[in-house]
Structure formats: C-alpha cells, structure tokens
Amino acid sequence: MKGFSGPIGSGKSQALCHEAIRLTYLNPGRTGLIGAPTYPMLRDATQLALFEILNRNRIPYEHAKAENSVEMKDSGSRILFRPLDDFERLRGTNLAWFGLDELTYAPEAAWLRLKAGYGTPAPSGYAASACGRRRDTTGYTDGSSQSRSRGMR
C-alpha cells in the first residue's frame, strides 16, 4: 500500500493518476478503481487529472461515460471511477488495484469495503494507493485506521 500526503496543489492527485496508469500496464486485462469522496470531487479533480495525463502523453484510451470507466487500449485494462459516499455500491468489485483521492474525507467503511474486494488473483505492483491532506481530527484511532491512513498524519 502506498500513500501520498501534502497540502493543496502539491500534486497528490497527479501522483495517484500516474500510479493508476502504471498499474494498468502491470495488470493487463484487469480492472482497477479510482475513487474520491463525492462524485463532484471525482469528476472535477481526479478524472480531469487522469484525462490530462493520458492526453498529454498520447496514451490511447476509450472513455465510457455511461459506465463511468476508461478502457486502456494498450493493456486492455479498465479503470472504474466511483464516488465513495455510497460505499455499499462498492460491494462485489473484483479489483486488481484501487486508488483513492482525498481519502481523509471518505467514509472509513468505503476503505474497508475496497480493501476486502481486491487482489484475486494477486495483482502486480502496489494494490492500493491513497492521497489526502493531513487531518488531525479524523477520529480514526484504531489499528485498522492506522493502516488506512498509512502515514498521512
């Protein structure tokens, strides 16, 4: 698991998107997920960053707007885009990897649901990445949340 932490504008979302692209090539034909706390955050920041990187680097992809996903043409991998505010909808996903933007603002149950639903068969590279700002008042103090925040405090 990998975490990115820093202030606004430090490149956390960019780093997450670069990591997601890397994982699509390490796990050809498999599905990954990029999530954010809400759909507007996902659409306006994280997806925008990913599309800018893909276009700037001329990486071929097809955006399926109705499914809110991207198919990577080179690797045959698929990236699902999902908001985390309705974490029950994350049930049943069979993921090679996932990356979460602004994790500190997402429900802990979303993290736990995704963590339980990835890695069969075993993925290549880091299976989970997250980025968020330092937040001293998260309320997460048990052992599972220590792994959830992975050094973002």
Side-chain angles (χ1 to χ4, degrees):
M1 307 221 181
K2 190 181 283 191
F4 307 102
S5 178
I8 294 173
S10 63
K12 299 178 301 293
S13 297
Q14 294 281 324
L16 177 68
C17 291
H18 279 283
E19 182 68 11
I21 293 168
R22 185 180 80 82
L23 288 168
T24 65
Y25 286 99
L26 288 175
N27 296 280
R30 307 272 315 274
T31 300
L33 181 144
I34 293 178
T38 65
Y39 179 73
M41 289 175 82
L42 181 64
R43 179 195 62 220
D44 299 342
T46 318
Q47 279 183 302
L48 186 64
L50 181 73
F51 293 137
E52 286 175 357
I53 293 166
L54 292 171
N55 291 329
R56 183 175 52 241
N57 292 288
R58 296 188 177 105
I59 298 171
Y61 69 94
E62 185 176 319
H63 181 202
K65 290 182 183 180
E67 295 177 13
N68 207 12
S69 66
V70 164
E71 181 186 340
M72 303 295 286
K73 294 298 189 180
D74 289 346
S75 66
S77 295
R78 196 169 132 202
I79 301 173
L80 304 175
F81 298 107
R82 297 294 182 264
L84 304 175
D85 51 2
D86 189 2
F87 56 86
E88 288 299 326
R89 290 185 168 197
L90 301 172
R91 218 179 264 282
T93 53
N94 185 13
L95 304 172
W97 58 269
F98 66 90
L100 305 176
D101 204 3
E102 298 295 352
L103 178 63
T104 48
Y105 297 104
E108 183 174 19
W111 165 260
L112 296 173
R113 177 92 60 232
L114 286 168
K115 198 169 81 164
Y118 82 90
T120 306
S124 298
Y126 287 95
S129 300
C131 57
R133 293 179 218 140
R134 181 185 168 124
R135 209 170 137 187
D136 293 330
T137 58
T138 59
Y140 302 125
T141 56
D142 63 34
S144 65
S145 61
Q146 286 295 328
S147 64
R148 178 182 176 265
S149 62
R150 290 174 316 287
M152 287 189 277
R153 291 186 182 175

